[in-house]
Amino acid sequence: MGYVKKAAPCLRGVLRGMLFIGFSIQILLGICWICCSFGQVQGFGEPDSALYGRLLGLLGGSSAALYILQLAAAFLAGFLFLQKIRPVGMGLALWRGLALLTVPFALQCHLALQPYSLMGSLFLLFLLALLRPPGGRRGAGLLAALLCVAAYVGLSGAVDADRRGGPGYSIEGALASRFAWPTLWQDLGLYGEEVAEAVGSLAWEASLYPDNMRLLQEGLESRVGPEAARGYYLRMAETGWEYHKTIVIRQIGWDVLGYAVTPVVFRLQMEGEAYDSYSGRNYEVMRENAPVLTRDYVDYGCWWFACMLGISGILAPLLAVPDKGTEPSGKRRRPGGRPVLSLGICILASGLLVAALTMRGAGRMDYRQTIGVNALWYMGPLLLVGGKRRKGR
């Protein structure tokens, strides 16, 4: 134990220095990417959220104004979250905010005319309202959290008039998309004559692309009505689960990992070793304006994600080792308490969001929708950089 006490301060300094350098390189790459992309509009098409469209209209359709708003909101959300959890000096606090802002997959969203950047910021502010209520008042915290949820749902477009109550907008429709779509065409004869006759002419086109499932649902509900269609959806889902349970479970597992730990799974997706998703399209759109820089930036981001977690895994236990010449405090903190509760709230909120996105349909994994969840992975390493340790007396 004596050798550990002697080496611990030096190791802590080295590991913190590695984290600082690694994040600083990410920040520099991110700033370069902002300079190359700020005046451009990524080719995602029109935003599929009425609320976001109105916000864009209020800003006169200016992409630059919206980019500034999204960058400011993202920086402020990350800055406040980290400062409320562990306050540090302003210089280091600003650096931590920039490190969180320049995560490659998040920064792509901050410079896009899509609602995902603001949704990610709202997710962090929602967690912050639960973990650190304004003024310490639980009522105010709950109200702030509810406002964040309302704004998040509005920006997602889930309550837009053209979606609410539309074709496939039901639990049964979502189950059919999740369980039946990957093997829709080959299972057509297993659905029963009645269902096969109703969807037969639409099944091939629907099986080509995940979003084409909406075409099948529109055609089916126009023929048999929404009530009867829900019964057909349920039968299709049951058939997919009965005959392809292993495939369905594996695809759900990959979707969960893709949403929750994007930098790790992204490389597999790019090598074609994972599953159907929007990642390839998103990456191609990101590369439109600065292909070489984007390639290096994303490659570094994926490598650094795994590296920073490894460094943090070594550093965290060392922070608990008392320095040589100090004695442990007579008062010991009980295990658990607020840190465990805070971690539990973050895991629960992230898990619910990831589960909801996963179960809406197969082949639709889109990392832009969980940049707030992925930001939490970066919080731990950033909280370990800087700050003074409490020494025993």
Side-chain angles (χ1 to χ4, degrees):
M1 187 64 182
Y3 293 107
V4 175
K5 286 185 178 181
K6 289 180 181 179
C10 181
L11 286 175
R12 286 196 296 265
V14 170
L15 294 173
R16 279 174 163 165
M18 292 172 66
L19 287 176
F20 184 84
I21 293 172
F23 276 115
S24 295
I25 294 173
Q26 176 190 285
I27 291 172
L28 292 175
L29 288 172
I31 291 173
C32 291
W33 196 83
I34 290 174
C35 293
C36 292
S37 306
F38 191 83
Q40 309 295 329
V41 176
Q42 296 184 59
F44 287 116
E46 295 295 321
D48 52 358
S49 163
L51 179 60
Y52 189 84
R54 285 195 287 271
L55 177 61
L56 180 59
L58 288 174
L59 296 175
S62 170
S63 60
L66 200 51
Y67 291 168
I68 292 173
L69 174 64
Q70 290 176 168
L71 287 168
F75 178 83
L76 184 63
F79 176 87
L80 290 176
F81 195 104
L82 289 166
Q83 279 295 86
K84 291 290 185 179
I85 299 299
R86 187 180 183 187
V88 294
M90 187 54 64
L92 183 58
L94 293 174
W95 176 86
R96 294 193 310 190
L98 285 173
L100 208 56
L101 181 72
T102 53
V103 173
F105 304 109
L107 190 56
Q108 179 187 17
C109 297
H110 303 330
L111 296 186
L113 296 182
Q114 295 289 319
Y116 305 112
S117 171
L118 295 177
M119 290 167 63
S121 300
L122 285 168
F123 180 77
L124 292 181
L125 292 175
F126 163 77
L127 291 178
L128 183 59
L130 294 178
L131 300 177
R132 297 289 190 274
R137 299 187 297 273
R138 288 292 176 186
L142 182 58
L143 177 60
L146 291 175
L147 290 175
C148 288
V149 170
Y152 184 100
V153 173
L155 285 170
S156 72
V159 294
D160 289 354
D162 60 337
R163 291 193 191 181
R164 189 174 62 251
Y169 199 86
S170 63
I171 294 177
E172 295 85 354
L175 289 175
S177 297
R178 177 72 262 179
F179 295 153
W181 176 78
T183 55
L184 180 65
W185 179 249
Q186 71 185 70
D187 290 348
L188 187 59
L190 300 175
Y191 296 147
E193 184 176 347
E194 183 182 6
V195 178
E197 183 179 350
V199 306
S201 61
L202 304 167
W204 173 251
E205 187 175 3
S207 66
L208 297 177
Y209 194 69
D211 282 348
N212 285 4
M213 192 68 178
R214 180 60 60 87
L215 300 177
L216 181 148
Q217 293 167 335
E218 288 176 352
L220 183 59
E221 293 188 19
S222 66
R223 293 181 186 180
V224 302
E227 290 296 328
R230 282 197 284 271
Y232 290 168
Y233 296 149
L234 193 56
R235 195 180 309 175
M236 293 165 64
E238 290 172 346
T239 301
W241 177 257
E242 180 180 356
Y243 289 92
H244 308 286
K245 184 183 301 183
T246 302
I247 295 176
V248 170
I249 292 175
R250 184 170 65 247
Q251 290 178 337
I252 289 175
W254 276 118
D255 272 3
V256 169
L257 289 175
Y259 279 122
V261 200
T262 298
V264 174
V265 178
F266 179 81
R267 284 186 169 180
L268 295 176
Q269 293 173 325
M270 293 300 98
E271 295 170 1
E273 297 180 5
Y275 55 98
D276 292 318
S277 72
Y278 286 114
S279 294
R281 171 178 172 267
N282 291 346
Y283 183 56
E284 288 304 313
V285 171
M286 188 179 183
R287 294 178 71 247
E288 288 174 352
N289 300 312
V292 176
L293 174 60
T294 301
R295 180 199 64 196
D296 295 340
Y297 180 35
V298 173
D299 285 349
Y300 178 81
C302 292
W303 171 84
W304 174 241
F305 179 84
C307 190
M308 72 170 189
L309 292 181
I311 295 172
S312 301
I314 300 172
L315 176 58
L318 289 174
L319 294 175
V321 177
D323 293 339
K324 184 183 178 183
T326 64
E327 296 296 332
S329 173
K331 294 183 179 179
R332 291 176 174 262
R333 271 187 147 183
R334 292 182 180 180
R338 190 173 186 85
V340 174
L341 177 61
S342 299
L343 181 62
I345 291 174
C346 291
I347 292 175
L348 178 61
S350 300
L352 290 174
L353 177 58
V354 168
L357 292 170
T358 298
M359 295 308 296
R360 66 186 179 139
R364 301 179 66 188
M365 183 264 151
D366 188 343
Y367 62 69
R368 296 176 298 168
Q369 299 195 355
T370 52
I371 59 172
V373 171
N374 279 272
L376 296 175
W377 289 101
Y378 294 84
M379 300 283 189
L382 287 171
L383 291 172
L384 295 178
V385 178
K388 295 182 179 180
R389 294 178 62 251
R390 293 180 179 177
K391 295 183 177 182
R393 290 180 296 191

